[in-house]
Amino acid sequence: MRDVSIIGIGQTVVGEHWDKSLRELGYYALASAMKDAKLERIDALYVGNAHSGALSNQENVGAMIADFAGLRGVEALKIEAAGASAAAAMRMGYIAVAGGLCDFVACVGVEKMTDQQPSTQEMALAMAGDGDYEAMQGLTTVSLNALLMRRYMHEHGYGKGDFAHFAVNAHANAVNNPFAMYRMNISPKQFAEAKPLSDPISMFDSSPVADGAACVILAPSALAKEFTDRPVRVRASAVATDTIGLHDRRDLLALDAAAWSAQKAYASAGIGPDDIDLFELHDGFTIMSALSLEAAGFAARGRGVGLALDGEIRLGGRIPITTMGGMKARGNPAGASGLYQIVEAALQLRGEAGANQVANARLAMTQNIGGSGATVITSILEGETWK
Amino acid sequence: MEVARFWRTNKQRYQLVGEECPHCQAKIFPPRDVCPSCEKEAKVPYVFSGKGEVFSFSTLHQAPAGFERYAPYTVALVKLSEGPMVTAQLTDVDAGDVKIGMPVEMVTRVLREDGERGMLVYGYKFRPSN
Ligand SMILES: [Zn+2]
């Protein structure tokens, strides 16, 4: 296997882009990453996308974006793993470059969600769960996460207000991210008074539906320096899965697949959670942030919310998370979010995170989740700037 | 309309027909043909009692397409007395009265009306029991 590095990154502003189509968003992120890498041709394009069929009446998105980008003839495929689609595209790119099959691969995550009504969006998002035994009963992604959050509060004795710090931190970090959807601070009081969506989840526990696209260019590390002064090495890439339905979990509050994929990633990088300088976790809902911190080894069972209460998730804390706003405040274009995480981690490792720069950041971890924990993809990235 | 798709799970939705593993006697719902406990083949039908208790619950306000007219409604994870967990709506109860640990029993209700001509899909919901 060859070492793999990120030589270019690109992203669009996350938001409600009524004037931009799926293909335009995908192309803008791709073109911006290719420009960043000063690259004119790629060997393959992997497009992560979760909802183009249900929300844009469009499949075959790999070919569509390659065509629109003028890359006629190139290998191009859409990769789908619900909310983990973008990290899955990154995983395919990693396999192709590490395995020596391709030298230059673009991994794009793109999602176009805001053309549709909320009820249609909920129906599409619910396809990430068990169609016959969750969606059939009228469950939504929000309500599945609410079942997790209610049980977590019951077992570990937290109140709803204790979850505020995940949202407050995300919004504070988004203020300084020009690509974020909601660049404003929120207070614990605003969190407490937010509109309930599916109790105990309210508007500020939940990440907003959005449009957007992000892209990284992967290359063999041996060639990376020809394209950039600041390559970011992919130290680990790991995927694990769990039951598609929440009701079938071994332990409802354990997120086994998140733990397994993190453990695989740590083992392959030869490091542990104490070595990680920042963690772009899957904060689709505040409860997912808490469970992810626990599964990835940053907090003991039931202590994920405690870590946030103690201020340890902020910039300068023990393990900064959602450093550019996360899904909560940067916005959550579902099948694109995993590559926003990777682009943001790369910005930190290149020393380009501006006011949100984590001091001396060398190792970053990203974790992208499809469904309520059914597919989990963990990446560990290392900045080569200071080598 | 997906008539065949609904028909395939009629036994599950009307009667909670799951499986019992012939190797380790684990009770399985929803049916999955490979036992989650011992990973051997399990295809022996088993009818659940429909008794259980609320493990977690939530009242949702934004329903997915097909369920809009029922919102708000309360959903739950119900731990069946035979062991497995089932995801379902609660019925015949005020949202404010639902508690974790509350005993419930299965009843058959309309789950949704599909399409303009209104094919009715029936299935299990759970209501408080004594
Ligand atoms: Zn068995």
Side-chain angles (χ1 to χ4, degrees):
Chain A
M1 280 216 321
R2 304 190 292 182
D3 282 342
V4 178
S5 292
I6 296 169
I7 61 166
I9 56 178
Q11 57 182 324
T12 72
V13 173
V14 178
E16 296 188 26
H17 293 299
W18 293 317
D19 58 337
K20 292 187 190 70
S21 66
L22 185 69
R23 71 184 83 187
E24 289 170 315
L25 289 166
Y27 167 61
Y28 295 155
L30 170 63
S32 132
M34 286 178 70
K35 189 170 169 226
D36 185 48
K38 300 175 214 66
L39 200 64
E40 293 189 346
R41 278 302 290 186
I42 50 172
D43 299 322
L45 167 66
Y46 298 117
V47 180
N49 171 272
H51 301 300
S52 69
L55 297 180
S56 303
N57 297 296
Q58 179 70 59
E59 291 294 7
N60 218 357
V61 169
M64 181 180 74
I65 290 175
D67 173 22
F68 194 68
L71 297 169
R72 196 165 298 174
V74 76
E75 169 178 342
L77 298 168
K78 165 172 160 169
I79 314 292
E80 188 277 325
S85 295
M90 166 82 176
R91 168 74 177 162
M92 290 303 112
Y94 177 81
I95 289 172
V97 178
L101 299 171
C102 299
D103 281 341
F104 301 102
V105 174
C107 309
V108 172
V110 59
E111 203 70 69
K112 178 75 199 162
M113 307 180 79
T114 65
D115 281 354
Q116 300 289 343
Q117 300 288 331
S119 60
T120 309
Q121 293 167 351
E122 293 292 352
M123 182 190 70
L125 289 165
M127 291 181 188
D130 187 327
D132 284 345
Y133 292 97
E134 290 178 333
M136 181 78 89
Q137 301 295 322
L139 274 285
T140 58
T141 298
V142 183
S143 57
L144 289 168
N145 280 273
L147 295 173
L148 286 172
M149 185 168 167
R150 168 98 59 201
R151 187 70 200 183
Y152 186 95
M153 291 164 63
H154 176 79
E155 286 192 20
H156 300 311
Y158 290 105
K160 177 167 164 45
D162 295 332
F163 288 78
H165 301 272
F166 291 114
V168 170
N169 174 62
H171 275 271
N173 292 342
V175 169
N176 298 314
N177 177 5
F179 296 96
M181 184 173 191
Y182 292 123
R183 301 182 64 187
M184 83 284 187
N185 279 294
I186 63 160
S187 66
K189 182 165 178 283
Q190 282 171 297
F191 178 90
E193 291 167 358
K195 187 178 83 157
L197 299 177
S198 189
D199 62 320
I201 287 182
S202 64
M203 207 178 69
F204 284 140
D205 290 287
S206 169
S207 57
V209 158
D211 308 328
C215 175
V216 300
I217 310 286
L218 301 179
S221 299
L223 302 178
K225 282 280 173 159
E226 293 174 26
F227 298 89
T228 176
D229 298 334
R230 288 176 280 194
V232 170
R233 190 170 296 225
V234 183
R235 288 285 305 276
S237 160
V239 185
T241 57
D242 200 349
T243 63
I244 188 87
L246 267 190
H247 46 253
D248 284 325
R249 294 287 155 82
R250 174 192 66 85
D251 174 345
L252 189 70
L253 298 181
L255 282 194
D256 279 341
W260 295 329
S261 83
Q263 286 157 12
K264 277 203 259 187
Y266 291 140
S268 116
I271 61 166
D274 289 345
D275 300 307
I276 301 294
D277 297 310
L278 65 120
F279 181 25
E280 292 301 332
L281 51 65
H282 193 99
D283 63 324
F285 297 90
T286 51
I287 181 63
M288 274 290 143
S289 298
L291 296 176
S292 298
L293 284 168
E294 295 171 19
F298 296 103
R301 185 184 176 93
R303 287 292 305 152
V305 171
L307 203 66
L309 279 169
D310 295 343
E312 298 290 6
I313 60 167
R314 295 195 297 236
L315 300 171
R318 184 156 72 77
I319 182 67
I321 64 170
T322 57
T323 66
M324 300 305 281
M327 296 172 179
K328 174 71 203 79
R330 173 241 295 131
N332 188 4
S337 290
L339 274 155
Y340 275 97
Q341 295 177 315
I342 288 163
V343 164
E344 289 159 358
L347 283 172
Q348 290 284 4
L349 299 174
R350 285 161 47 149
E352 296 170 2
N356 291 1
Q357 183 63 47
V358 173
N360 303 315
R362 190 174 70 86
L363 285 165
M365 187 157 92
T366 65
Q367 194 173 64
N368 197 196
I369 301 182
S372 17
T375 305
V376 185
I377 306 180
T378 305
S379 304
I380 295 176
L381 307 175
E382 180 175 19
E384 297 182 52
T385 311
W386 290 281
K387 273 196 172 167
Chain B
M1 272 211 293
E2 307 163 274
V3 177
R5 180 187 168 205
F6 295 135
W7 170 81
R8 279 199 300 277
T9 51
N10 275 355
K11 280 185 182 164
Q12 283 71 48
R13 279 183 294 107
Y14 296 169
Q15 296 166 284
L16 279 180
V17 177
E19 291 157 336
E20 179 174 22
C21 175
H23 308 284
C24 76
Q25 279 69 53
K27 309 294 188 287
I28 305 165
F29 192 90
R32 44 172 52 240
D33 293 0
V34 176
C35 174
S37 301
C38 70
E39 296 177 1
K40 293 181 182 148
E41 191 174 85
K43 287 185 164 181
V44 181
Y46 178 87
V47 182
F48 283 80
S49 66
K51 303 276 188 196
E53 63 174 55
V54 172
F55 191 77
S56 193
F57 65 96
S58 175
T59 301
L60 70 92
H61 299 270
Q62 177 62 60
F67 293 85
E68 295 102 322
R69 57 181 293 194
Y70 307 107
Y73 51 87
T74 301
V75 299
L77 282 168
V78 172
K79 189 154 180 56
L80 298 171
S81 54
E82 295 90 344
M85 199 92 80
V86 58
T87 304
Q89 289 185 32
L90 299 183
T91 187
D92 305 346
V93 62
D94 288 336
D97 294 337
V98 180
K99 299 219 167 11
I100 287 178
M102 188 174 88
V104 290
E105 64 188 5
M106 177 211 158
V107 289
T108 303
R109 293 282 189 272
V110 173
L111 287 181
R112 58 184 282 183
E113 262 185 52
D114 216 53
E116 281 183 5
R117 280 196 279 167
M119 186 181 86
L120 295 174
V121 181
Y122 289 89
Y124 49 77
K125 292 188 183 182
F126 286 77
R127 71 177 176 199
S129 69
N130 292 313

